[in-house]
């Protein structure tokens, strides 16, 4: 991700976290898509305060070291937001939600950079979790001068 992209995602993402998940203290999701976004938001939060820490959910536990799926020191009962780069069917976010739930974290909701409007947000909401999308696929098409569905 470019330096400009990091800056912009940090600013817009932190604003959304503060507005929709004000009790959040941790942000992260399934590696690799969520990693640069969560880190950009964590970085911005350090500048503006109070800080959010970032974490990563591994696709599977390592067979050496700590053997954990969650890296970044998330304590049990921590108020977390799951980060998603592109929300399509919701599989990555649902997997991260399950891992954090099994860990005992307090899941506040899911923040998606882009919702492709392909059913993922509905699946996540059906599980009782709030979903906030910074942009939709149609928003991006309109910004590019294309009419959605055309």
């Amino acid at each position: 991700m470019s330096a400009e992209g990091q800056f912009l995602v940090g600013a817009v993402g932190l604003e959304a976290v503060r507005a929709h998940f004000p009790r959040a203290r941790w942000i992260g999701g399934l590696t690799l898509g969520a990693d640069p976004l969560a880190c950009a938001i964590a970085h911005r939060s350090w500048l503006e305060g109070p800080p959010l820490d970032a974490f990563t959910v591994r696709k599977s536990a390592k067979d050496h070291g700590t053997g954990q799926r969650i890296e970044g020191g998330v304590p049990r009962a921590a108020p977390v937001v799951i980060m998603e780069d592109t929300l399509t069917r919701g599989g990555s976010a649902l997997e991260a939600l399950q891992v954090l739930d099994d860990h005992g974290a307090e899941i506040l909701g899911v923040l998606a950079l882009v919702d492709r409007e392909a059913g993922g947000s509905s699946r996540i909401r059906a599980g009782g979790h709030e979903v906030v999308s910074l942009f939709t696929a149609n928003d991006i098409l309109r910004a590019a001068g294309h009419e959605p569905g055309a």
Side-chain angles (χ1 to χ4, degrees):
M1 179 183 281
S2 70
E4 181 181 22
Q6 289 273 326
F7 175 82
L8 294 171
V9 166
V12 175
L14 182 60
E15 183 179 317
V17 169
R18 297 287 190 237
H20 296 278
F21 310 110
R23 294 186 319 97
R25 294 298 170 260
W26 293 84
I27 187 163
L30 198 64
T31 199
L32 181 71
D35 297 343
L37 307 176
C39 288
I41 293 168
H43 179 258
R44 183 65 179 237
S45 76
W46 177 259
L47 298 173
E48 295 185 14
L52 294 171
D53 288 321
F55 64 87
T56 295
V57 177
R58 293 181 180 279
K59 293 180 193 270
S60 61
K62 290 180 6 179
D63 59 0
H64 61 282
T66 63
Q68 298 178 32
R69 286 202 60 194
I70 303 168
E71 297 294 347
V74 178
R76 298 200 190 294
V80 303
V81 172
I82 303 299
M83 185 77 225
E84 183 65 275
D85 58 348
T86 304
L87 183 57
T88 306
R89 290 186 207 89
S92 295
L94 289 166
E95 184 175 345
L97 284 163
Q98 185 62 56
V99 171
L100 271 294
D101 189 52
D102 291 347
H103 180 70
E106 179 188 0
I107 300 166
L108 303 177
V110 174
L111 177 64
L113 179 62
V114 178
D115 185 345
R116 293 183 66 197
E117 302 169 293
S121 55
S122 297
R123 287 181 66 199
I124 294 165
R125 286 186 184 107
H129 298 287
E130 181 177 356
V131 178
V132 173
S133 301
L134 299 178
F135 306 98
T136 66
N138 285 327
D139 293 336
I140 293 169
L141 286 171
R142 280 189 214 89
H146 301 285
E147 190 57 37

